[in-house]
């Protein structure tokens, strides 16, 4: 075979191979094109932010023809406030679904769920994006939430307001509980129910939570139309539109008045002496522990008085238990009158009382309060039978941190000081450790 014939044969083989490769390549391209066209999602391929390919579904979603989309900026399909978000997703290669506001050909806005993949081809940044129009689905979800919240026969009280708090809907349970009819409630603000004893900070926290788009849970102390008071446990949730903006608030509320009153009674019984109203031993010890913790953090001094009544048994034996109860009530009232708001008194036993004196400037300041209490308790007490009698008291004083650095130690040292008073004649006060004023 001549050299020319060999070259000719090689040329023909090359041409044939190119034709085969081109046919194979075109078949593969057509295969991938068919896959892209078969999907229910819009698919966009952009290069450096410019659309270079798309499927027909993407054109249909956006309201353009395929040819009109090619060469257009990717950002033309999205509302201006979301451009920065999209750029950030592309630059970071974010590949999870996210929601943005889309802009169709007729400037009609919609909500897109977008997901994409970023890759490099030479010096170009490529982004393959899928888009799905979820506007209708979002509208249906909002409507379902509103309808499900406004169940007419719910035993719970349900209120729907706009974002300024104006009532747009109440269910029959609301009317039964509050006394306000549907017609009377519509157009009003829920503040018509305010009892007036909850702080502005309470309502500020409520509105701050709602404006953040979060659910608020808490208790309201409210007033019915007839003026009677009641407690409600409420859950208030925002309802959002397709742009993610709150359009309404839905409140689901339950009357918890009886439960609240029962819990309050149980708590009162658990923490307060039922006769005098003062904190009982359990609550007083808890307050003492808190006072110690605060004093340690702030490095300040405070005092503890341990008070035992002198002659209380004689009153009980001579006049009866009713007279004894009168004495204990009178003592608690006089103790409370002798101390500051920042101090705390408690009854920890039959005729034993304690007082926490907060933030003493000088060690000896506690003695001035003890002397005031002695004089107050010595005054005559009118008993149930009209007679008057009097008692005394023995007071032991311990000071934190000089005498002890914990609650148990302070009680023990104050108790020791009180018994020293008892042994030395009663009706007096004594420090656990006498010392120079500091």
């Amino acid at each position: 075979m001549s050299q020319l014939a060999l070259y000719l044969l090689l040329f023909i083989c090359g041409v044939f191979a190119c034709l085969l490769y081109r046919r194979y390549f075109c078949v593969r391209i057509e295969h991938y094109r068919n896959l892209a066209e078969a999907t229910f999602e819009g698919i966009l391929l952009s290069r450096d932010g410019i659309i270079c390919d798309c499927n027909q579904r993407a054109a249909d979603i956006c309201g353009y023809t395929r040819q009109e989309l090619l060469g257009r900026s990717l950002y033309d399909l999205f509302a201006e406030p979301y451009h920065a978000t999209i750029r950030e997703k592309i630059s970071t290669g974010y590949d999870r679904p996210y929601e943005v506001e889309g802009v169709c050909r007729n400037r009609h806005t919609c909500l897109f769920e977008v997901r994409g993949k970023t890759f490099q081809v030479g010096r170009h940044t490529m982004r393959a994006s899928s888009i799905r129009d979820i506007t209708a689905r979002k509208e249906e979800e909002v409507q379902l939430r509103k309808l499900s919240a406004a169940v007419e026969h719910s035993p719970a009280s349900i209120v729907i307001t706009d974002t300024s708090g104006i009532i747009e809907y109440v269910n029959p349970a609301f009317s039964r509980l509050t006394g306000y009819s549907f017609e009377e409630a519509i157009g009003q603000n829920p503040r018509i129910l305010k009892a007036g004893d909850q702080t502005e900070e309470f309502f500020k926290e409520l509105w701050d939570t709602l404006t953040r788009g979060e659910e608020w849970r808490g208790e309201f102390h409210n007033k019915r139309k007839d003026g009677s008071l009641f407690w409600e446990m409420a859950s208030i949730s925002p309802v959002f539109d397709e742009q993610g903006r709150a359009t309404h608030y839905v409140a689901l509320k339950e009357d918890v008045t009886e439960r609240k009153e029962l819990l309050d009674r149980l708590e009162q019984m658990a923490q307060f002496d039922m006769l005098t109203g003062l904190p009982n031993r359990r609550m007083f010890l808890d307050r003492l522990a808190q006072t110690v913790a605060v004093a340690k953090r702030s490095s300040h001094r405070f005092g503890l008085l341990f008070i035992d009544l002198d002659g209380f048994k004689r009153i009980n034996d001579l006049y009866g238990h009713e007279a004894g109860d009168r004495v204990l009530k009178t003592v608690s009232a006089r103790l409370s009158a002798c101390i500051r708001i920042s101090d705390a008194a408690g009854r920890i036993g039959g005729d034993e009382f304690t007082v926490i004196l907060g933030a003493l400037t000088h060690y000896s300041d506690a003695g001035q309060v003890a002397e005031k209490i002695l004089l107050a308790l010595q005054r005559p007490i009118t008993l149930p039978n009209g007679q008057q009698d009097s008692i005394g008291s023995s007071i032991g004083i311990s000071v934190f941190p000089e005498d002890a650095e914990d609650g148990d130690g302070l009680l023990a040292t104050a108790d020791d000081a009180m018994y020293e008073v008892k042994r030395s004649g009663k009706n007096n006060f004594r420090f656990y450790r006498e010392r120079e004023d500091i």
Side-chain angles (χ1 to χ4, degrees), residues 142-161:
V142 171
Q143 186 64 18
L144 284 174
R145 284 199 296 269
K146 290 177 63 176
L147 292 176
S148 62
V151 179
E152 285 287 318
H153 301 292
S154 172
S157 175
I158 298 175
V159 181
I160 298 178
T161 74

Side-chain angles (χ1 to χ4, degrees), residues 303-327:
L304 177 66
L305 308 186
F306 196 109
I307 304 164
D308 187 85
L309 302 183
D310 299 329
F312 179 71
K313 185 177 183 302
R314 177 185 63 81
I315 296 288
N316 256 337
D317 293 342
L318 189 59
Y319 301 105
H321 291 292
E322 187 179 358
D325 289 347
R326 173 69 64 83
V327 169

Side-chain angles (χ1 to χ4, degrees), residues 269-286:
M269 293 171 62
Q271 297 186 351
F272 291 89
D273 174 55
M274 299 306 294
L275 178 64
T276 64
L278 293 177
N280 60 17
R281 184 180 186 88
R282 174 184 173 185
M283 185 176 182
F284 187 85
L285 291 177
D286 182 63

